[in-house]
Amino acid sequence: MQLIIRDLIYRSPHKYILDHLNKYGFVRITDVANELGVTKVTIRKDVKILEAKGLLYKVHGSARSANPHVADTDVHVKGNVNREEKERIARKAVELLNDNDSIIMASGSTIYAFAEAIKREFRSHLNVVTTFLKTSVLLNDVEEINVVQLGGCVHKKSLSAIGGYAEAALSDFSCSKLFFGVDGIDLEHGITTSTIEEAKLTQVMMRSASKIIILADSSKFGQRGFGRICSLEEIDVIVTDSRISEQAVAMAEEAGVDLVIA
């Protein structure tokens, strides 16, 4: 009976690929070839046929249910996407703060939601180093919070200071935690954002912090931004929402990342 079922699968690799994509959003060509007992050349041809029909998006060595590449988007627009998830993530992230922490906060809509949650819920002294203008203005009103605004050229879409001035200033700080948002979390391509400038700045932030924490809703898994920040293995914690897929959970666990579900 098992041989008959396996035979049917062999005769319908398209269905196997699409079923796998529907469940996980991602499939490796090598894995499909091994599972079905056929060559990678055969599976690549099948993937090309399915891509031509608009049923998947081919990436080197794999296939995805949708185009993983994301564009640079205005922070105000991002703020209205998955808003409830971002607010839950932000509240959960506040629990990671300690009294008298010194933290770095990058830019982005989820980071701003985090700043709002800090203002509402955190009741201890905090040092905040940030490139994000909106965060500086918001948290500067809180008596217990000391804000250091990094300088540089302001990126219009992110409202973040970027460039050499901001990067040079970060070398003067040693912080307990870095909190940043991303545009993509991908097993093969790593952690990405939509611009090279933001990626480079985040790399410098990472060198000035003891613990690296990503705040990202589940839609960011399987996505890719233009600028690569680092590999998944370099991240300590990801705070995300409960809609994260089983595959994404396995991906994070394999990389040794602690997942915090909001």
Side-chain angles (χ1 to χ4, degrees), residues 26-30 44 58-63 188:
F26 168 86
V27 64
R28 288 193 186 91
I29 288 173
T30 299
R44 287 194 191 98
K58 185 180 181 297
V59 182
H60 180 69
S62 64
E188 295 174 312

Side-chain angles (χ1 to χ4, degrees), residues 196-234:
I196 291 294
E197 293 81 6
E198 292 275 6
K200 186 178 179 183
L201 181 59
T202 305
Q203 291 168 357
V204 179
M205 289 178 174
M206 291 173 67
R207 294 197 287 270
S208 297
S210 299
K211 181 170 283 190
I212 312 303
I213 303 169
I214 288 176
L215 308 184
D217 67 79
S218 56
S219 69
K220 302 299 175 62
F221 286 85
Q223 298 290 93
R224 294 184 181 184
F226 180 62
R228 186 177 187 275
I229 298 170
C230 64
S231 67
L232 186 56
E233 287 79 7
E234 294 176 73

Side-chain angles (χ1 to χ4, degrees), residues 32 76 79 105 118 126 130 133 170 180 187 189 202 212 215:
V32 177
H76 297 106
M105 295 174 66
I118 290 173
L126 191 67
T130 186
L133 302 182
L170 280 163
F180 70 103
L187 180 61
H189 202 60
T202 305
I212 312 303
L215 308 184

Side-chain angles (χ1 to χ4, degrees), residues 18-262:
L18 294 175
D19 285 348
H20 201 86
L21 284 175
N22 186 54
K23 185 176 182 180
Y24 300 109
F26 168 86
V27 64
R28 288 193 186 91
I29 288 173
T30 299
D31 292 343
V32 177
N34 290 339
E35 180 64 26
L36 300 185
V38 297
T39 67
K40 288 187 286 186
V41 173
T42 298
I43 299 304
R44 287 194 191 98
K45 290 178 180 177
D46 291 323
V47 166
K48 285 183 179 180
I49 291 170
L50 292 171
E51 183 179 40
K53 294 179 179 179
L55 297 174
L56 55 75
Y57 188 91
K58 185 180 181 297
V59 182
H60 180 69
S62 64
R64 297 169 185 272
S65 55
N67 187 344
H69 299 283
V70 296
D72 189 14
T73 307
D74 191 287
V75 68
H76 297 106
V77 175
K78 288 182 178 179
N80 294 319
V81 178
N82 297 328
R83 187 174 182 84
E84 291 183 7
E85 287 81 1
K86 290 174 181 177
E87 290 175 352
R88 288 200 300 272
I89 290 166
R91 291 194 297 271
K92 199 70 176 177
V94 172
E95 298 176 12
L96 301 179
L97 295 174
N98 299 318
D99 294 348
N100 297 306
D101 247 345
S102 294
I103 66 171
I104 302 172
M105 295 174 66
S107 62
S109 56
T110 310
I111 294 299
Y112 189 70
F114 177 43
E116 290 178 315
I118 290 173
K119 185 173 183 178
R120 286 193 311 268
E121 302 171 18
F122 195 69
R123 294 293 178 267
S124 182
H125 181 264
L126 191 67
N127 291 315
V128 175
V129 179
T130 186
T131 58
F132 196 15
L133 302 182
K134 289 183 67 178
T135 290
S136 289
V137 172
L138 180 71
L139 295 182
N140 192 57
D141 285 339
V142 182
E143 185 66 30
E144 297 87 356
I145 298 178
N146 178 43
V147 178
V148 177
Q149 169 65 55
L150 298 179
C153 299
V154 177
H155 184 251
K156 292 186 182 299
K157 289 187 177 180
S158 68
L159 295 179
S160 174
I162 58 175
Y165 291 113
E167 292 168 18
L170 280 163
S171 64
D172 292 332
F173 300 99
S174 178
C175 295
S176 56
K177 302 175 184 78
L178 162 63
F179 294 87
F180 70 103
V182 300
D183 286 309
I185 302 173
D186 184 88
L187 180 61
E188 295 174 312
H189 202 60
I191 308 303
T192 54
T193 188
S194 54
T195 70
I196 291 294
E197 293 81 6
E198 292 275 6
K200 186 178 179 183
L201 181 59
T202 305
Q203 291 168 357
V204 179
M205 289 178 174
M206 291 173 67
R207 294 197 287 270
S208 297
S210 299
K211 181 170 283 190
I212 312 303
I213 303 169
I214 288 176
L215 308 184
D217 67 79
S218 56
S219 69
K220 302 299 175 62
F221 286 85
Q223 298 290 93
R224 294 184 181 184
F226 180 62
R228 186 177 187 275
I229 298 170
C230 64
S231 67
L232 186 56
E233 287 79 7
E234 294 176 73
I235 304 303
D236 296 303
V237 180
I238 296 177
V239 186
T240 188
D241 61 80
S242 58
R243 295 193 297 178
I244 184 173
S245 69
E246 293 178 8
Q247 186 200 29
V249 171
M251 176 177 74
E253 290 177 348
E254 183 182 341
V257 178
D258 291 332
L259 274 180
V260 177
I261 308 298

